[in-house]
Each structure stands twice: as C-alpha cells, then as structure tokens.
Amino acid sequence: MGREICIIHKLRCGHCKNLAPEYEKAASVLSSHDPPIVLAKIDASDEANKGLAMEYQLQGFPTIKILRDGAKKVQEYNGPREADGIVAYLKKQAGPASPEIKSKEDAARLIDEKKITVVGVFPELSGEKFEKFITLAEKLRADYDFAHTLDAKLLPRGKPVDKPTIRLLKPFDELFVDFENFDVDAAEKFIADASVPIVTIFDKDPENQVYVGKFFNGPNAKALLFVNFSTELDAFQSKYKDVAVLYKDDGLSFLLGDVEAGAGAFNYFGLKPEQAPLIIIMVNEDHKYLHAHVKPDVLASWLKDYKDGKLKPFIKSEPIPEVNNEPVKVVVRDTLKDLVLNSGKNVLLEFYAPWCGHCKALAPILDEVALSFEKDSDVLIAKLDATANDIPKGEFDIKGFPTVYFKSASGNLSQYNGDRTKEAIIEFIEKNRDKPAAQSESVKADSTKPESVTTDSAKDEL
C-alpha cells in the first residue's frame, strides 16, 4: 500500500456530510492509482473509535490525516475538499517528497512561480546533509513543495553555489533566500520564518490566503493595518513596508488589509469600517493597541511609541447603555468595574453569546430571578456579551456559554455551576450573599462607639 488517507468524521456533522460525496469520488479515482492510494473513513461518534480522537488529538470534524508506512508516519491533510482537488493533491503526495531537478524543463514543471518551493542544492545526492534534507521534505511535504538538484543554474533565481544549500524560492520580497544549516529543526524554523512576507497582504485574492493563515498562526505579536485598497493603498503601502523592515526582527509581524476583505477582523475587534484607516497591534487576546484614522506619516512614530511602552492598551467594550432599566442589567467592559467588581453589591453576572441557544434558554429564567430581587437593592442580576467585550482573564475564566459568576458584596468571587432553574439560582444567591461593603463598614463603625453612649441609648429607650 503506497499511501492511506483517513478521514475521521461524525455522522451528524454537516461539514462531514458535505465532504462525503467528494471523498467517495476521489476514492474511486485513486483506487486505480499505481501504487493504490486508499481512502478510508472512521466514525468518531462510534464508542469503539473514541480512542482515536484522543490519539490523534482531534479538534473538529471532519479531520483528514495522511498515514504512511503502516500509520507510523502521520501528517495533516491541508489540501482541497472537492474531488478533483483531493485527487491532484494526493497524487502529488504519493510521489517522492523531493523529486530531482535534472533540467530546465524539470524546474519549470516542479517550481510554481506563485508558490513557495524549497530546493536542496548538493554537489552529490548522498551524505548526511542530503539525508537530513529528505527527512525535512518528508516532514513538511504537506505544507511546502520540495525538490533537489545538483546544479543551481537550473533554478529560476539565485547564483550557483559550491556547497550544500537550502534555497527557498518565493513569489514575494527578495524572491529567494539561501540557508546552509541542515539541522531539521533549524531548517524548519528557517522555512517558517522565510515563508511569511515582510508585509502580508489581506484581500480577496485566493493566492494570498495561505500567507494570511501563516500570519495569524505565527507566534509573533501582530500589527494589522486596514485601509481602503481602491483609494488609500498607494499612500500607505511603501511607508508601512519601511516600518515593517525596521521592526520585523523585533518579534512583530505585519499585515496590510483591505477594509472590504477585513469584515471578520473588524467584528472580532469590535470595530467599524468607518474607523479606517486604522492600525491594531495584538500581542495576545488580552493585550492590544489601536490607532483609528491613522495617517501614513504617523505609522513610524506610533510603532516606536509601542516599542517604547508609551501606548495605552485598547480594551474592546460595547457602548455604555443610555437606558438600563430591564430586570437583568446590561454590563459592558467599561462598566464591569463599577457595576460588578467594585459595586459593593451581591452580583450574579452571566457571560453570554448572542448566538448561544443555552443562553437564550437561560434568559427568561434570569429575568424571573431578577424580578424576585427587584426590591432588594443589595442584589443585582446582570449579563455581559462576551463576544463584544474584552474579559479580564485574571478575574474570570470563560470557556463556554453561558458562564455565570457570583460576586458577593464583600468581594468573594465564585462560579455558578448549579441547575439552571429559578429556584436553584435564588437558593445559591441567598446562601452566598453578604452585606454590602458600605453597610459592613457602618456596622463596624457602630461597634467602636464608647460603651457609655450605648448604655445611654439603652436607658433612653427604657
């Protein structure tokens, strides 16, 4: 058996059902390949197959794996999901990880000018460095095209070399870059770093999507500049690239996006296209900086202020409601501290997502709970849209929706994991509530009054 391609799916998964007929067509074509390429499928919802999900660390369905050498080698399938694309991709995967370039015709056939190709140049096709290159090609063949040659003059770019060299050919920036360290881990890092443009272009061109994916999956902090490509690109592009060249070795990656193509990014950051041109630096989900209506000449100084630690972090928050008179009060990021954390009240706070069915089912129950405490000024029932507001991770741990926390008046914070019924929630609040901080201080102050005052008061009452 040459190669075995395995799809792990779930019967009720919509994406799995869409893939199934294409997968079947591809299996029919590839069964006659020499050697045969076997396509198999496993239902992960079957109890007997549950162990596979853990073994392969599955994150979603359908997942496609390429199994080689009796499943001793496992690779992710990163190809198309329609029959013709699956066939073409797997035929290529079934061949050698790194074919040899012996002529200009071979180079033209194996090197796609619009893609990244990693070529090993060797004085002889043997030895430790050559073997390491083949190991590298086997490891990364699902992500990059590989080839090797004895003659660098056959390649479309770069000068001849007289020592073993890894030459990465790419359709952007300097168009090729050489590397002489054949340690597999070092070479893999070189390829990963060199295959990301100095400035990644984010538009509707499908050729750019692979680089956008690499940009967002990379470990660096990320600078994202969004402008209108039809009217503003020329004014920003060269100045932004100058800044990127200056800071690209400082743990920062750069993306230039078209406002029209970046709708998803705007939604993620809680921004509006009218704020463009805008630049965002995202260190991580909890650490971001923003400059809206930015001018081209300001980019360099703003990036310098970021590096010097002079910028104020950007925190995503919905607008503060002008009217907030429903039984369950609306909390946004900008009011979280005042209405919840420092309120001195007992607060039950739901973190929800507008699309969440369980959240919608809980909503009327929380309304009833809020009405039950309507005349109790020491208790507040509230909700916060966790998709539209940044959540301070040090205080709350949100892993799903709805997530409900309770903060007592004295500041004790706990997560509610009880039944989602009016009675259970009210019982939990009554059990965990305490006096407001202001009232507690008042009681404490009364207890420090001189005994004579208390005695006199008692006598007066008698």
Side-chain angles (χ1 to χ4, degrees):
M1 184 180 299
R3 300 288 184 268
E4 184 170 339
I5 317 303
C6 174
I7 174 177
I8 303 176
H9 68 110
K10 283 191 173 182
L11 286 177
R12 296 180 181 177
C13 163
H15 294 297
C16 301
K17 292 178 180 177
N18 292 335
L19 175 62
E22 300 297 320
Y23 196 68
E24 293 288 346
K25 291 178 188 176
S28 178
V29 173
L30 293 170
S31 63
S32 59
H33 186 270
D34 185 19
I37 300 175
V38 179
L39 271 62
K41 62 181 180 180
I42 299 171
D43 180 8
S45 58
D46 188 328
E47 191 66 33
N49 298 324
K50 290 291 178 68
L52 287 169
M54 297 181 63
E55 180 182 350
Y56 291 115
Q57 299 178 335
L58 303 183
Q59 302 296 320
F61 299 95
T63 293
I64 305 177
K65 302 280 185 178
I66 301 176
L67 310 180
R68 305 175 190 274
D69 299 335
K72 293 177 183 177
K73 298 178 181 178
V74 181
Q75 288 180 208
E76 296 293 333
Y77 173 89
N78 297 319
R81 297 209 170 188
E82 43 79 26
D84 291 343
I86 294 172
V87 169
Y89 184 91
L90 293 180
K91 281 185 176 180
K92 189 171 184 179
Q93 289 292 308
S98 176
E100 184 180 357
I101 295 175
K102 299 179 179 180
S103 65
K104 290 282 187 179
E105 290 74 21
D106 287 343
R109 178 172 50 85
L110 294 172
I111 297 173
D112 187 334
E113 294 294 319
K114 295 183 178 180
K115 294 182 179 180
I116 290 172
T117 305
V118 184
V119 183
V121 183
F122 300 94
E124 57 183 1
L125 302 183
S126 62
E128 182 182 4
K129 291 184 177 181
F130 179 73
E131 294 301 326
K132 285 184 175 181
F133 180 79
I134 297 301
T135 299
L136 177 71
E138 286 283 2
K139 183 178 182 180
L140 300 181
R141 65 182 296 165
D143 301 313
Y144 304 95
D145 291 339
F146 283 83
H148 58 267
T149 186
L150 294 169
D151 188 356
K153 289 184 290 186
L154 298 175
L155 304 181
R157 295 184 291 279
K159 297 180 179 179
V161 292
D162 58 5
K163 63 180 70 173
T165 301
I166 298 173
R167 176 163 294 173
L168 188 143
L169 304 169
K170 52 185 178 177
F172 51 80
D173 297 336
E174 66 273 54
L175 301 182
F176 81 94
V177 58
D178 288 347
F179 191 67
E180 296 178 2
N181 186 345
F182 281 80
D183 175 80
V184 173
D185 290 340
E188 183 176 358
K189 184 180 184 306
F190 155 73
I191 293 170
D193 292 343
S195 61
V196 177
I198 294 174
V199 175
T200 298
I201 300 299
F202 182 18
D203 56 14
K204 293 185 177 181
D205 185 347
E207 297 286 349
N208 290 327
Q209 292 308 304
V210 62
Y211 306 115
V212 173
K214 290 178 181 295
F215 171 86
F216 282 108
N217 290 328
N220 287 347
K222 296 165 178 60
L224 305 94
L225 172 64
F226 287 97
V227 304
N228 187 321
F229 274 21
S230 62
T231 59
E232 299 168 324
L233 183 60
D234 290 343
F236 279 90
Q237 192 165 20
S238 62
K239 291 183 180 296
Y240 191 53
K241 186 170 184 178
D242 289 344
V243 172
V245 170
L246 189 62
Y247 292 106
K248 69 182 180 70
D249 295 327
D250 290 347
L252 195 58
S253 298
F254 293 81
L255 177 143
L256 178 58
D258 185 10
V259 171
E260 186 177 351
F266 280 84
N267 289 335
Y268 174 80
F269 289 108
L271 302 171
K272 296 181 179 180
E274 303 86 75
Q275 293 175 273
L278 64 85
I279 184 170
I280 306 159
I281 292 178
M282 183 171 69
V283 180
N284 52 51
E285 288 188 9
D286 304 319
H287 199 179
K288 300 183 283 284
Y289 303 89
L290 169 72
H291 190 327
H293 306 297
V294 67
K295 303 294 184 183
D297 293 337
V298 175
L299 292 172
S301 60
W302 191 77
L303 263 293
K304 185 177 187 305
D305 285 345
Y306 160 73
K307 295 300 295 183
D308 292 343
K310 295 180 180 180
L311 299 182
K312 181 180 179 181
F314 164 70
I315 298 174
K316 180 173 67 174
S317 176
E318 289 183 289
I320 298 174
E322 295 182 6
V323 178
N324 202 0
N325 54 12
E326 295 297 321
V328 177
K329 305 306 177 188
V330 174
V331 175
V332 300
R333 181 64 172 84
D334 287 342
T335 61
L336 181 63
K337 189 171 287 186
D338 290 339
L339 291 183
V340 179
L341 299 177
N342 297 341
S343 67
K345 294 186 177 185
N346 300 285
V347 184
L348 186 83
L349 177 62
E350 177 204 17
F351 294 91
Y352 74 96
W355 43 259
C356 166
H358 295 296
C359 302
K360 293 176 182 178
L362 181 60
I365 297 171
L366 291 182
D367 283 340
E368 293 180 13
V369 173
L371 289 172
S372 298
F373 288 101
E374 191 174 24
K375 296 181 180 180
D376 191 335
S377 61
D378 297 341
V379 176
L380 180 71
I381 311 300
K383 62 182 180 181
L384 183 147
D385 182 351
T387 69
N389 298 273
D390 282 341
I391 311 300
K393 292 293 192 293
E395 300 284 350
F396 305 100
D397 184 19
I398 313 299
K399 293 181 178 178
F401 302 113
T403 294
V404 180
Y405 271 88
F406 180 77
K407 188 203 71 68
S408 71
S410 59
N412 293 323
L413 191 66
S414 59
Q415 189 170 343
Y416 176 74
N417 292 310
D419 292 337
R420 292 173 186 174
T421 65
K422 171 186 174 182
E423 295 74 19
I425 295 173
I426 290 175
E427 181 182 353
F428 177 86
I429 293 173
E430 293 292 2
K431 182 179 179 180
N432 291 277
R433 67 179 293 180
D434 51 29
K435 293 179 181 180
Q439 184 175 338
S440 298
E441 290 297 322
S442 176
V443 171
K444 182 178 179 181
D446 287 344
S447 68
T448 62
K449 290 182 180 179
E451 185 178 347
S452 59
V453 175
T454 304
T455 304
D456 291 341
S457 298
K459 287 180 179 178
D460 289 341
E461 289 178 5
L462 292 173

